[in-house]
Amino acid sequence: MRVTVDGVPVDLPEGATLLSAVRAAGLDVPTLCHDDRLTPVGSCRACLVRVDGRLAAACVTPAAEGTHVRVEQDDLRELRRDAVEVIVSALPPYALEGDGELARLCQELAIEPEAAEGGAGRGRDDSHPFVRLDRDLCIACGRCVRMCAEVQGTFALTLVGRGSETMVAPGTGGPWGESDCVACGGCVDTCPTGALTEPGLPVGTHLATFTRTRTTCGYCGVGCALDVLVRDDEVAAVRPAKDGQVNRGHACVKGRFAHGYLRSPERLTQPLLRRRSGLEPVSWAEALDHVARRLRDAVAEAGPDAVAAISSARATNEENYLIQKFMRVVVGTNNVDNCSRLCHSPSAAGLTAAFGLSGGTDPFDDVERADCLLVVGANPIEAHPVIGARLLQRVLHGTRLIVADPRSVGLAEHADVHLRPRPGTNVALFNGLAHILSAEGMVDDEFLRHRATGLPELTATLEDYTPDRVAAITGVPATDLVAAARLYGRAERPAIVYGLGVTEHRHGTDGVRTLANLAILRGAVGTDRGYGVNPLRGQNNVQGASDMGALPDLLPGYGKVRDPVARGRAEQVWGTRLPEHDGLRIPQMFAAARSGHLRVLWIVGEDVATTDPDANRVIEALDACPLVISQELFLSETARRADVVLPAASWLEKDGTFVNFDRRFQRVRPALAPPGQARTDFAIVHALAEACGADLGCATPAAALAECGRVAPVFAGISHERLDREGAVPWPCSDPGRPGQARLYQDRFATADGLAHLAARPYLPPGESADDDYPLILITGRRWAHYNSGNMTRRSGAVELDPVDRLDVHPADAARLAVRDGAPVVVESRHGQVVLPACITEEVSQGQLFCAFHFPASRVNALTSSHADTVTSCPEYKVTAVRLRVRPEAQE
Ligand SMILES: Nc1nc2c(c(=O)[nH]1)N[C@H]1C(S)=C(S)[C@@H](COP(=O)(O)OP(=O)(O)OC[C@H]3O[C@@H](n4cnc5c(=O)[nH]c(N)nc54)[C@H](O)[C@@H]3O)O[C@H]1N2
Ligand SMILES: Nc1nc2c(c(=O)[nH]1)N[C@H]1C(S)=C(S)[C@@H](COP(=O)(O)OP(=O)(O)OC[C@H]3O[C@@H](n4cnc5c(=O)[nH]c(N)nc54)[C@H](O)[C@@H]3O)O[C@H]1N2
Ligand SMILES: [Mo]
């Protein structure tokens, strides 16, 4: 469509507004109620233009073919300025201080500060730890309300009052701190006047004077691009980057606000060494010499396999690369693993077996285009909020949604069909769905003939999974199964998104394989007829830690340790012979420690005593191992039990890259220096190598990534310099001159035969089931305000939003056991016992309980078992048989 703006012709897409026309012509008009991400409302009148002789608000008026728009006319300029001046006149004088959007606009329009002559008196709301409201500055533009509805999808805000008294308020009526707000910060970011701000940055602040660093969030695997504003060596604010390739200007409570831990007085600032009196501060030289000497002794006496390392999915790629290189080259063992073991190792195994590569099959931007989403065992509204918000918006705009989750939380409330399987019965559920797809002919025969293998075996297995039998195993009504299968089966472009509810099971890898079957049967992977199978990876860099080879059986880029070709390539780059047998997985490391075979355990950025299952046994292992090194930000439960504690820098203090959940490499840049003597994990590994008389090469993180590309050709096209230019680059990417492959398998699968592999797997029961002694099933997982061990989020304002771990109990179970809401209950499993306050809610099904593990003091993992995925050893965190008892003193 072509329009002219002040005589200049511009071409616009259908549906474009006059505002885009103005901007396309290189001109601008003021806006106050407008944000490109939101539905325009045209309420502030600051963007008036003339269209074919009439006045129109540019932001809401659609452009039409042949329209003549006038912008730069004196009377128009006057009208626009007047509109802003009228709004400003009602505000108190301090509204124009600082360099916020309104203040800048007034400067541009030459509106004097004296124009703000309104009164104060509507008051403030300071009840929320992260969002502050100054009602006197509210101009009722509604941007915050639309942000909360149209981007975040929480619908927590509304406009109240009439006429000039209209202002924003939480929809629940009470104070902000008690509202539905989940502190994504979107309202603060869009507010043009400073009515909504964050603590410490009141209206009047000059943000332009702060140092601004672009980096990638170090909490979850979404990989939000963030701008970190630093003043006086402290983080003053974190802003989601509007041009962030994944988050597009959105963020969540953790990335945006939970940075208080950085300056916590509990931050580790010097190395600690265990002496008779306990852990005592020592110099770096002493700590490193001690470790190097003990390492040398252990290897001399018991061989290199008496040493093991747990690398950190919180750390950068370059740090993980260096840690695994240290273990393989300096120590001479493959005993290195990372928390992918506890999380998505079944995804790595299952997706590799089905399709050939260890990652999700499709970029999230495509997944978002699906007409039907199957979300399984994932709660992205709480665990990947920016992705959850984007999925929710699609659903609110008509995308069909099937959720499979025993609990009724998050997206489940918006599902067309919500399947609530008994925990641990996924394989039966997925086989049941596959059975219906086959039985009702909702399969892609052409795809199955040419691009897949394993159909006869699968068909035979599926015979046993009739809807009635599956209903009996899973507890999901047969009619719901059929409805779900038809939605997925008849969609034109379905996508599967899944989480730990699939993987953290005794048969987690079978879960991934049988889930992948659905996409293969439909030909919805590696084609344009769907968007595959996509795990919502957990930690900021869990994909990367594994990509870099911090795994006992795999080298950087997933070459097998036992494959002479892959090993040979690494040997050539590293100039040394490498060990040929697989190393120990995390649970095997603990077992080796308990049996006296492990002499040194080096734990980088993982609080195993809190987060690994069957915690009492983990603690036995730590106690039994002669030298435990904990490289940490805090004296975690693990660090407290270590022999040497090395103070590390966190993501806001380091340089490198992370790989997010859809395989994108992105840059991490230091916004400030680590406190005291704390060092980056990169520097610590180098220093340790030096103390051992070794040189790891890779002087800088950029050099480390470059070297990794030589060991692993799939990363060879990615470099810091390229990421600085392009922002995000997905792997595989072997050529610096070509884009990475975001969509996989368009021509062939990466398996040896180039085909997608269907898996004929029977349903096998979980490790634990309810019985007379332990009649309830405990599910564990996440809550929105905290992160894993909570070591970081508990040391931020997030603790005000969610102060305790609590046990969700169904009302019927609560009534039967005389459990009162809020009262402490004793939870016992076969492995341990803890006390938690009860929260009575129908989010859980009868017979099931739920709690998170964010407060080490509540010791939730004392309850979980050492049952694990039979293929990958991923713990069965999602199914623990327990019983409940009301504490005598709580009975009264
Ligand atoms: N706020 C917050 N965000 C986080 C984290 C955090 O601690 N806090 N941690 C990060 C990490 S490391 C990870 S791995 C991700 C995890 O992200 P998710 O995988 O979304 O997290 P979970 O809450 O552990 O589990 C997801 C869901 O699985 C369901 N589930 C349990 N058992 C079954 C089952 O048998 N079948 C099915 N279909 N569903 C089941 C649970 O009810 C739960 O709602 O989150 C990341 N993001
Ligand atoms: N019951 C139950 N338990 C679970 C789960 C569950 O669903 N249920 N989920 C499991 C899953 S999926 C995961 S991923 C694990 C996560 O378990 P952990 O990895 O133990 O959890 P985090 O809290 O992420 O801990 C990382 C630690 O690293 C420190 N740290 C942060 N950044 C850095 C850094 O850059 N360098 C160094 N050296 N240290 C750093 C933090 O202070 C923190 O103590 O928990 C598992 N545990
Ligand atoms: Mo995880």
Side-chain angles (χ1 to χ4, degrees):
M1 149 175 70
R2 170 162 290 200
V3 302
T4 61
V5 181
D6 284 348
V8 179
V10 291
D11 289 312
L12 296 171
E14 279 313 308
T17 61
L18 296 182
L19 184 61
S20 1
V22 171
R23 289 175 179 170
L27 299 174
D28 205 6
V29 286
T31 56
L32 271 178
C33 66
H34 184 78
D35 180 319
D36 286 338
R37 295 169 289 185
L38 308 175
T39 311
V41 292
S43 64
C44 77
R45 319 311 279 177
C47 65
L48 288 178
V49 293
R50 193 166 271 125
V51 195
D52 303 329
R54 283 179 299 108
L55 286 178
C59 69
V60 270
T61 313
E65 177 66 41
T67 309
H68 294 280
V69 191
R70 305 307 301 251
V71 182
E72 295 297 344
Q73 291 176 321
D74 286 343
D75 67 322
L76 282 175
R77 262 191 235 111
E78 222 26 62
L79 282 172
R80 292 194 292 254
R81 189 177 176 283
D82 286 351
V84 176
E85 205 165 28
V86 168
I87 291 169
V88 165
S89 68
L91 299 179
Y94 60 87
L96 297 193
E97 291 167 12
D99 58 1
E101 186 176 328
L102 181 66
R104 276 181 286 129
L105 182 61
C106 287
Q107 260 162 23
E108 273 164 38
L109 298 175
I111 295 174
E112 298 297 326
E114 292 73 47
E117 53 182 13
R122 297 198 291 189
R124 301 179 55 87
D125 183 340
D126 292 333
S127 60
H128 193 281
F130 298 134
V131 183
R132 297 290 152 90
L133 170 63
D134 179 344
R135 299 189 184 91
D136 293 325
L137 292 176
C138 181
I139 58 171
C141 66
R143 274 162 68 170
C144 50
V145 178
R146 280 175 283 148
M147 194 74 185
C148 194
E150 297 176 17
V151 173
Q152 169 57 31
T154 300
F155 300 91
L157 305 180
T158 184
L159 291 177
V160 296
R162 283 159 177 265
S164 63
E165 287 304 304
T166 313
M167 61 188 169
V168 63
T172 40
W176 203 288
E178 288 164 26
S179 72
D180 296 332
C181 169
V182 292
C184 74
C187 55
V188 171
D189 286 331
T190 196
C191 176
T193 65
L196 289 166
T197 55
E198 51 215 289
L201 285 187
V203 64
T205 312
H206 285 269
L207 287 178
T209 60
F210 293 30
T211 337
R212 195 177 268 262
T213 308
R214 170 65 57 89
T215 192
T216 305
C217 184
Y219 279 106
C220 85
V222 171
C224 294
L226 302 174
D227 285 325
V228 184
L229 303 178
V230 171
R231 177 179 53 185
D232 302 333
D233 211 25
E234 293 216 14
V235 172
V238 176
R239 292 285 157 87
K242 287 224 169 70
D243 56 346
Q245 277 146 309
V246 187
N247 55 317
R248 303 172 181 170
H250 195 204
C252 83
V253 59
K254 297 179 298 305
R256 197 180 193 294
F257 292 116
H259 49 75
Y261 71 88
L262 283 168
R263 290 290 177 261
S264 159
E266 292 168 316
R267 241 342 252 284
L268 293 170
T269 56
Q270 20 181 187
L272 307 174
L273 189 60
R274 184 164 302 282
R275 308 217 201 254
R276 239 167 303 149
S277 52
L279 286 167
E280 288 191 1
V282 293
S283 69
W284 270 105
E286 189 174 355
L288 292 169
D289 282 348
H290 181 86
V291 174
R293 192 159 19 86
R294 298 284 302 271
L295 258 178
R296 220 176 299 123
D297 294 349
V299 174
E301 287 163 24
D305 288 338
V307 179
I310 299 177
S311 194
S312 182
R314 307 300 302 272
T316 62
N317 289 318
E318 294 75 4
E319 292 168 334
N320 277 282
Y321 178 76
L322 223 54
I323 290 166
Q324 62 83 37
K325 185 175 176 186
F326 179 92
M327 294 305 287
R328 292 187 160 120
V329 171
V330 181
V331 181
T333 177
N334 284 312
N335 289 344
V336 57
D337 206 353
N338 77 79
C339 76
S340 175
R341 185 68 53 212
L342 316 179
C343 182
H344 274 284
S345 53
S347 294
L351 294 173
T352 305
F355 305 122
L357 290 177
S358 175
T361 58
D362 288 73
F364 185 72
D365 292 346
D366 280 350
V367 170
E368 211 176 26
R369 282 193 267 275
D371 60 343
C372 173
L373 292 163
L374 172 55
V375 178
V376 189
N379 180 16
I381 294 290
E382 297 192 62
H384 300 84
V386 166
I387 291 302
R390 278 173 66 177
L391 291 175
L392 176 56
Q393 290 302 329
R394 297 320 310 150
V395 172
L396 295 175
H397 286 89
T399 298
R400 309 306 295 272
L401 175 67
I402 309 152
V403 169
D405 194 309
R407 297 188 306 139
S408 185
V409 292
L411 290 173
E413 290 162 26
H414 304 270
D416 294 288
V417 184
H418 178 193
L419 310 171
R420 297 183 81 166
R422 287 189 190 103
T425 63
N426 286 325
V427 174
L429 180 76
F430 305 152
N431 281 349
L433 294 172
H435 176 104
I436 300 163
L437 291 181
S438 295
E440 300 197 1
M442 296 180 287
V443 297
D444 186 332
D445 293 317
E446 171 85 5
F447 181 91
L448 290 170
R449 244 191 320 275
H450 298 294
R451 296 203 58 194
T453 179
L455 187 60
E457 297 81 354
L458 176 63
T459 309
T461 300
L462 292 184
E463 274 176 28
D464 294 342
Y465 294 87
T466 58
D468 287 337
R469 173 153 183 265
V470 171
I473 299 172
T474 62
V476 174
T479 46
D480 287 358
L481 278 171
V482 172
R486 287 182 184 161
L487 271 182
Y488 183 81
R490 291 176 183 166
E492 282 176 25
R493 286 163 285 105
I496 297 173
V497 169
Y498 73 94
L500 300 179
V502 174
T503 57
E504 285 179 342
H505 287 289
R506 180 120 190 260
H507 302 287
T509 303
D510 285 352
V512 174
R513 298 279 328 254
T514 48
L515 181 60
N517 283 345
L518 304 179
I520 302 173
L521 286 170
R522 282 285 279 105
V525 55
T527 65
D528 55 8
R529 297 186 296 285
Y531 303 113
V533 188
N534 302 284
L536 291 175
R537 302 294 314 248
Q539 302 268 39
N540 54 315
N541 197 36
V542 65
Q543 177 74 46
S546 302
D547 295 348
M548 294 298 115
L551 292 169
D553 54 339
L554 298 169
L555 295 163
Y558 298 96
K560 287 196 174 67
V561 156
R562 278 173 285 156
D563 169 11
V565 178
R567 213 173 49 239
R569 198 165 42 226
E571 285 175 341
Q572 214 183 5
V573 177
W574 296 338
T576 182
R577 291 302 300 272
L578 293 176
E580 300 177 9
H581 56 274
D582 290 353
L584 300 175
R585 299 171 171 182
I586 292 173
Q588 295 169 328
M589 293 176 189
F590 295 141
R594 284 189 295 260
S595 66
H597 292 93
L598 195 72
R599 301 288 190 87
V600 180
L601 180 56
W602 175 27
I603 306 170
V604 184
E606 195 166 317
D607 189 3
V608 295
T610 300
T611 55
D612 275 56
D614 204 353
N616 294 327
R617 302 274 287 155
V618 173
I619 289 164
E620 275 172 41
L622 296 178
D623 291 345
C625 185
L627 182 70
V628 175
I629 306 147
S630 170
Q631 200 158 303
E632 253 295 345
L633 312 185
F634 295 102
L635 202 59
S636 66
E637 292 301 302
T638 306
R640 281 204 305 122
R641 294 175 167 86
D643 303 287
V644 183
V645 179
L646 303 176
S650 88
W651 60 282
L652 285 159
E653 300 153 342
K654 52 171 72 164
D655 175 54
T657 56
F658 294 152
V659 187
N660 83 333
F661 78 103
D662 66 351
R663 291 178 284 104
R664 284 184 255 204
F665 275 77
Q666 300 189 95
R667 285 281 277 124
V668 178
R669 300 185 184 87
L672 65 178
Q677 297 177 35
R679 296 182 183 177
T680 64
D681 294 299
F682 196 81
I684 298 173
V685 187
H686 266 307
L688 185 57
E690 198 183 313
C692 296
D695 178 4
L696 288 169
C698 309
T700 61
L705 188 62
E707 182 182 291
C708 176
R710 290 200 285 136
V711 180
V714 281
F715 310 130
I718 299 173
S719 63
H720 282 210
E721 181 258 316
R722 177 169 182 183
L723 295 171
D724 287 339
R725 255 184 298 120
E726 295 180 24
V729 180
W731 75 266
C733 179
S734 48
D735 185 337
R738 304 192 46 191
Q741 286 175 43
R743 307 183 65 184
L744 297 177
Y745 317 129
Q746 295 301 298
D747 304 321
R748 75 191 296 277
F749 290 92
T751 47
D753 55 13
L755 300 173
H757 287 234
L758 290 160
R761 301 297 307 157
Y763 162 73
L764 297 167
E768 298 199 344
S769 327
D771 57 21
D772 290 346
D773 288 337
Y774 298 94
L776 299 164
I777 291 296
L778 172 69
I779 305 172
T780 59
R782 288 148 176 82
R783 310 238 191 226
W784 64 276
H786 286 292
Y787 196 78
N788 292 341
S789 69
N791 284 332
M792 291 153 86
T793 47
R794 276 182 293 108
R795 293 178 173 97
S796 78
V799 78
E800 288 177 47
L801 297 171
D802 184 359
V804 284
D805 276 334
R806 58 196 173 278
L807 183 74
D808 293 348
V809 186
H810 188 273
D813 293 322
R816 193 167 44 81
L817 298 165
V819 169
R820 282 185 298 115
D821 196 46
V825 287
V826 181
V827 194
E828 288 172 283
S829 77
R830 288 189 173 80
H831 320 282
Q833 166 181 327
V834 307
V835 179
L836 292 165
C839 170
I840 299 177
T841 167
E842 288 183 12
E843 284 176 7
V844 288
S845 293
Q846 200 174 339
Q848 295 169 19
L849 307 164
F850 177 84
C851 72
F853 57 105
H854 302 315
F855 291 78
S858 57
R859 303 205 65 239
V860 166
N861 275 317
L863 298 172
T864 50
S865 75
S866 50
H867 291 293
D869 177 34
T870 52
V871 178
T872 67
S873 311
C874 179
E876 190 178 48
Y877 287 118
K878 298 294 186 249
V879 189
T880 308
V882 299
R883 61 184 171 222
L884 281 195
R885 168 158 76 70
V886 174
R887 264 232 298 239
E889 62 268 38
Q891 257 166 348
E892 287 141 276

